[in-house]
Amino acid sequence: MKLTRRNFLAWAGLSAVGAVACEGFGIREGELSIQSSTMLPEDLVKGQDNWYATLCRSCPCPEGIVVRVMDGRAKKIQGNPLYPVNHGKQSARCEAGLQAVYHPDRISGPMRRSGARGAGHFTPIPWKDATGVNGLNILRQELEARGQDMLLVTEPLRGHLALVAQRFAAAVGGRHLGFETLDNNTYRMAVKNVFGQDTLPDFDLANTGFLLSFGADFLSTWLSPTRWSRGYGEFRQGEGRKRGTFYQVDTRFSMTAAAADKWVPINPGWEGHLALSLAYVIISEGLQDSGADVGAMTNGQGAAALEAFRPETVAQKMGMTEEMLGASPVEFIVGLARQFAGSGPSLALGGGSAGAYNNGLFNLEAIYALNHLVGNSGVRFNPGSPLEDVPASANVGTLADWEEAAEAIRSGKTRLLMLHNADLVHGLPGSLNLARTLDQADDLFIVSFSPFIDETNVMADLILPDRLSLEDWGDDIPEPGPGYQTLGFQQPVVNPLLDLDPLSFPDILLTMAQELDRDGDLPWANYQKMLREGSDALFALNRGSIKAGSAGEFWTSLLKNGGWWDESETGKGPSSPPAGLFNDIAAKASEPRFDNPTGAGKSFYLVPFSHNTLLDGRNAHLPWLQAAPDPLTTITWQTWVEINDTSAAELGLREGDIVRIESSSGNIRALLYPTPAVPPDVIAVPLGQGRRHGSEYASGRVGTESANVVDILAADRVKDSDSLAWAGTRVTVSGTGASMRISKFEGIVRAVEIGIHEGERIIHTIPDEAT
């Protein structure tokens, strides 16, 4: 469906039923009258504009947004200044929500497969009709026949939608799992083991004096980057105090590493050993916070509990050199420990690649245990849900869960697979052969509720497209939250175009539960009524950010503000750290293990990373986000391979060469991008591209300039958490003899290293011709 002005004008008279506009937003008085009417665009929709508060669903952690709507058309998205997670800031990902609503490749209505599975041939069908051959009737029949053998897979869900999905799966006898390509289960387990918390913490970056981060690209894609970017700005400004100092320990030169005072590129998988070496120095020199009970945390052994992590022992394994650090590695570790302990308030955080090796849980536990030595001042714990039974955390599957699910499909134990915004084929390692498993499962019926075609739902037997977030009701308990109870609300701010016919996913589940007589735990007539009941429960608490005289007034204010929060209901940290914490972590210590490639030649550590705007590929269908330049390389639309200049020269390769990257699990092709900001034995490749099916903006370029790096990852697990060890693969790189120009904003100017001053690499840019 291609958009035309006629579509918009036909649709402009519609309005989102029940939506409530917010106040205090908009443009300056008289701003539109400045431009002459003869110069106005011919397709301008004239009329009064309204601003509606809702939630963005294009980001790792949903952000509060306000949407400008004129005559039924969404025109602008910006951050909600009231919402505690982002306080008026927003990412480019949020702005692209407009393109999703008006996307020409949206699935317009229900479809049934009419060709071979995976061929992409579908026939439109109605939602309801007198013949019985309609979307809802087919779904009900399949649930009646196969519901007890159902697996419902969604994006990570919290709030009321998580409750609907969990109860629906239980009611029909099936199972519900959330899916993330790079899940945070290892991080969640580390938080539980070190702090005893079931919810993920917030970090008080704004009031931190010394920040030490391991692997977490928290300014770009990790968990809640918009919130932490705002805190980081205050941390750097240092208003009323000394400007904060920031060290990033990371194998890749990420956006976050680029913002650090010092980037420390150590060998992959050794982050936990460095963290315990810092702890050894702090304890042995008595630098810990006055309230830190070192005796309890080491079972009375003190520094002797960490004797195996003396700087003299650990420094040999880190891969750090005196040229890189401006001091010997031992001196650097000792100096860093003293600075971290003496420049408080200090904060150590870790995530991303640091937790994505086979020893990832050990790494993260060692990193977060450092906070117990410096008073835990920068870690803000989050409380649970303000509403009983409404989940505050998502139930996300591990690699072990997905391997079990694939086997259940092969064996016929799972006969109904229902998908909502979960692209399993694209997001799981190619060695699981999930596409082949789905194709060969003759007794499997696949239902997708996604509004766009992707690598998984192209294999569906039935597609029932959901509404987009700007068209539907919803809520979210942010994780990580801001340190106090928060519940964000999402309202429909526009209606779908007239030639689109989606239905709300939670409403479909509630309807099916009622028709199957399985609605004992799902008594709501529709999802809006369920949310209204939640609003009434919040009103009954008689606390928080909204003061109202009635439940109806409370509901109206809830939608106007975009949510509810209670700053007095904060999270409670542990009264004391676990006894023998450092002994237990030291006992888990192990060296990282890597899956080696089968090909000949020099091998490299492969570091996949989430694309700044496309993330794991969930936003790849949005051309605004495809065209948004990467913050470091400025590359758009393509998959690139970051490699050290010297390594590229040794291989006889240069920028723009199409190279073959091979692991033991397969190979992909991508464009080479040499840079001095990569260690010599490392390459880094972004996620997000490599689609063969779906929107024309996301697919059709595989083999030359688009690739899915997840396809070649070894299916190895993190010890104890069973998550995918996605940073544990080694690969070879070789030329293909082909090349093409990289699509980048920096043009012919590229970065080169021109020297090292006091341990800091000095990077300059020169045109390619001069090299």
Side-chain angles (χ1 to χ4, degrees), residues 223-241:
L223 292 181
S224 191
T226 300
R227 173 171 180 77
W228 290 331
S229 293
R230 187 177 184 275
Y232 182 80
E234 297 179 21
F235 161 80
R236 281 307 207 186
Q237 290 168 4
E239 295 182 2
R241 57 174 175 77

Side-chain angles (χ1 to χ4, degrees), residues 291-373:
D293 190 347
V294 170
M297 287 187 281
T298 62
N299 285 335
Q301 293 181 265
L306 301 175
E307 185 70 23
F309 302 94
R310 295 173 61 95
E312 295 82 0
T313 303
V314 170
Q316 307 171 31
K317 306 172 182 178
M318 296 293 98
M320 302 181 295
T321 64
E322 185 168 346
E323 179 188 32
M324 175 197 305
L325 302 172
S328 74
V330 172
E331 292 172 339
F332 173 78
I333 293 173
V334 172
L336 178 58
R338 292 170 178 169
Q339 195 173 5
F340 178 73
S343 304
S346 296
L347 169 65
L349 62 89
S353 61
Y357 307 99
N358 66 294
N359 65 345
L361 182 61
F362 156 70
N363 287 340
L364 295 185
E365 288 184 6
I367 292 164
Y368 283 100
L370 287 172
N371 292 290
H372 283 301
L373 296 178

